[in-house]
Amino acid sequence: NAGVTQTPKFRILKIGQSMTLQCTQDMNHNYMYWYRQDPGMGLKLIYYSVGAGITDKGEVPNGYNVSRSTTEDFPLRLELAAPSQTSVYFCASSYEGGIFGKLFFGSGTQLSVL
Amino acid sequence: AQTVTQSQPEMSVQEAETVTLSCTYDTSENNYYLFWYKQPPSRQMILVIRQEAYKQQNATENRFSVNFQKAAKSFSLKISDSQLGDTAMYFCAFMKVSGYALNFGKGTSLLVTP
């Protein structure tokens, strides 16, 4: 099993550019999440999904969009990138939300907006 | 909103020694889950240990154990017989029973020295 796969691992964007961070999981998990991790800070929730076709905002959703057309995929879209979006982005999934406590994380995407 | 506070940005411990990482949280919920996640330099997030608030018994996982004080809203992690591979960022996290995602603290950077 590959688990949670994120691409790309690194990316540099210019201000105003757009991009999509890809996330796919092969564990048939219903719950998927996008977090961002800023230096010296914990992870903050951007968006989450409890199943295909269902998404909801987290703590810091501004500047991002998501979609969940399949159970496996949960892409994160950045529109009009800004320097404040420089961060490490983590995608995660779990079988039943946090009930069983185990979130499976991808290896992260380091994004720099210059 | 739930907040998670880790008051120790950095700690160090010698190999084979014991170290305790602190975590406090603020919530009005009675039922919830608490977690410690480890993030080594590889950036991968790894679940270390999990505690259900309704359980009085402290969780243990091999060399890792917690001291859960519900009234004080405290959830510390004890690492016994520290190993070089324990060097990592450690994040405390909270989740409501009715919630979908984790709230993370800012993390404690632990360095294990020979």
Side-chain angles (χ1 to χ4, degrees), chain B residues 55-88:
Chain B
K55 288 186 178 179
Q56 292 188 335
Q57 186 174 6
N58 290 324
T60 62
E61 287 288 342
N62 301 314
R63 297 183 294 108
F64 299 88
S65 62
V66 298
N67 183 5
F68 173 49
Q69 302 289 328
K70 190 173 184 180
K73 297 181 182 176
S74 171
F75 183 61
S76 60
L77 174 70
K78 185 171 82 170
I79 306 174
S80 303
D81 186 26
S82 296
Q83 301 175 358
L84 296 178
D86 295 334
T87 291

Side-chain angles (χ1 to χ4, degrees), chain A:
Chain A
N1 283 343
V4 179
T5 302
Q6 288 182 238
T7 56
K9 294 191 184 303
F10 302 94
R11 183 71 184 269
I12 298 175
L13 283 181
K14 294 182 179 179
I15 294 172
Q17 287 185 319
S18 299
M19 76 164 294
T20 299
L21 279 66
Q22 301 292 343
C23 176
T24 186
Q25 52 93 6
D26 62 358
M27 296 172 284
N28 202 33
H29 286 169
N30 287 325
Y31 293 73
M32 295 189 74
Y33 313 85
W34 275 106
Y35 283 91
R36 59 176 286 173
Q37 182 181 22
D38 299 328
M41 304 292 287
L43 281 71
K44 293 189 181 297
L45 183 66
I46 305 172
Y47 271 95
Y48 66 96
S49 169
V50 301
I54 306 171
T55 63
D56 207 348
K57 297 177 180 179
E59 186 180 357
V60 289
N62 291 343
Y64 307 94
N65 279 300
V66 294
S67 60
R68 185 94 182 271
S69 57
T70 66
T71 299
E72 295 77 20
D73 300 309
F74 190 43
L76 178 71
R77 178 80 177 165
L78 279 71
E79 303 282 2
L80 299 175
S84 61
Q85 293 177 305
T86 294
S87 190
V88 179
Y89 291 83
F90 288 96
C91 179
S93 72
S94 70
Y95 178 60
E96 284 286 352
I99 293 177
F100 298 108
K102 190 172 178 69
L103 267 63
F104 293 79
F105 284 83
S107 57
T109 296
Q110 172 77 59
L111 176 67
S112 296
V113 182
L114 305 175

